[in-house]
Amino acid sequence: VPTDILLKYNCCDTYATFLLYKKLYKEVEEKFPFLIHMMHKLVLPFSKILNETRFRGIKIDVQYIKTLMDKYKNDMEILYRAMKKIVGKDFNVRSNDELINIIYKEQKCNVVDRTKSGRPSVDEEALKKIKNNDFVSYILQYRKIDKILRTYFTSFLELKDNNDIIHSSYSITGTKTGRLSSSKPNCQNIIRTNEIKNMFIARDGYF
């Protein structure tokens, strides 16, 4: 988006929000005074802390992540070659049509679940119900590695700044339960293994 258009949009958005604030503040204060109290005593101070946390960010070890990416891609290639050996041909791992044909027709697995349209399902939940089939087991392993690769490695490298810092967005209104949420990237849903957690490192002078 061109800077001049983005600037105009942000100014209009801010002004519109301010007008709504002026119109609704007194009404909320009269009808729900406890909400105003919470806003000043909890929400605004906490939001300031979260903004400071976001601006400071978290440092990541880029070289370590790239090394892990190479390892995971190699593991995926090994799994693909094993699956190719079973079916005797090249295929697209991400093609549901091809997987349906291989798993339920060529491998003759029983259909355990169907999609809303009535097609045999090849999602994770359905495939986990299929036992004693090496091809299906390899598919599940492949998808697990691919998800880690895209969710953590690729995403983090795309979102880091020039100093290898990621600036996750934190929200206190992003969940129904009221817990804190994190996005772009999600730093609250990190796999609990040292291999993954070692992506995060302290800044120079802090460790």
Side-chain angles (χ1 to χ4, degrees), residues 56-70:
R56 177 162 179 78
I58 307 170
K59 190 172 181 63
I60 58 174
D61 189 334
V62 172
Q63 189 54 52
Y64 176 75
I65 291 176
K66 290 181 178 179
T67 299
L68 279 184
M69 288 180 70
D70 291 338

Side-chain angles (χ1 to χ4, degrees), residues 13 35 41 46 66 70 89 156 164 180 201 207:
D13 188 53
L35 291 179
K41 294 295 183 180
F46 192 35
K66 290 181 178 179
D70 291 338
K89 61 182 178 181
F156 280 29
D164 298 338
L180 190 68
I201 57 177
F207 186 76

Side-chain angles (χ1 to χ4, degrees), residues 91-155:
F91 67 98
N92 184 355
V93 183
R94 294 184 174 84
S95 170
N96 286 344
D97 288 337
E98 292 190 42
L99 290 181
I100 289 172
N101 183 65
I102 292 172
I103 294 171
Y104 297 114
K105 293 184 180 179
E106 297 178 9
Q107 295 289 302
K108 303 186 186 307
C109 293
N110 293 326
V111 177
V112 292
D113 276 321
R114 292 185 179 275
T115 63
K116 292 181 179 180
S117 63
R119 302 179 67 203
S121 176
V122 288
D123 64 15
E124 182 179 0
E125 185 178 346
L127 295 187
K128 281 184 175 179
K129 296 178 182 178
I130 300 175
K131 308 297 182 182
N132 303 317
N133 185 284
D134 289 341
F135 181 84
V136 172
S137 176
Y138 293 151
I139 282 291
L140 288 171
Q141 293 178 57
Y142 185 98
R143 285 179 172 177
K144 181 178 179 180
I145 296 173
D146 186 44
K147 183 178 180 179
I148 293 174
L149 195 64
R150 290 182 288 105
T151 302
Y152 301 113
F153 306 152
T154 304
S155 174

Side-chain angles (χ1 to χ4, degrees), residues 148 152 188-198 200:
I148 293 174
Y152 301 113
Q188 291 184 303
N189 192 27
I190 304 299
I191 296 176
R192 296 181 181 179
T193 64
N194 287 333
E195 185 178 56
I196 301 299
K197 290 190 292 184
N198 285 342
F200 304 101

Side-chain angles (χ1 to χ4, degrees), residues 151-168:
T151 302
Y152 301 113
F153 306 152
T154 304
S155 174
F156 280 29
L157 291 181
E158 289 177 349
L159 293 171
K160 74 176 184 66
D161 64 17
N162 293 332
N163 296 312
D164 298 338
I165 306 292
I166 54 173
H167 302 273
S168 179

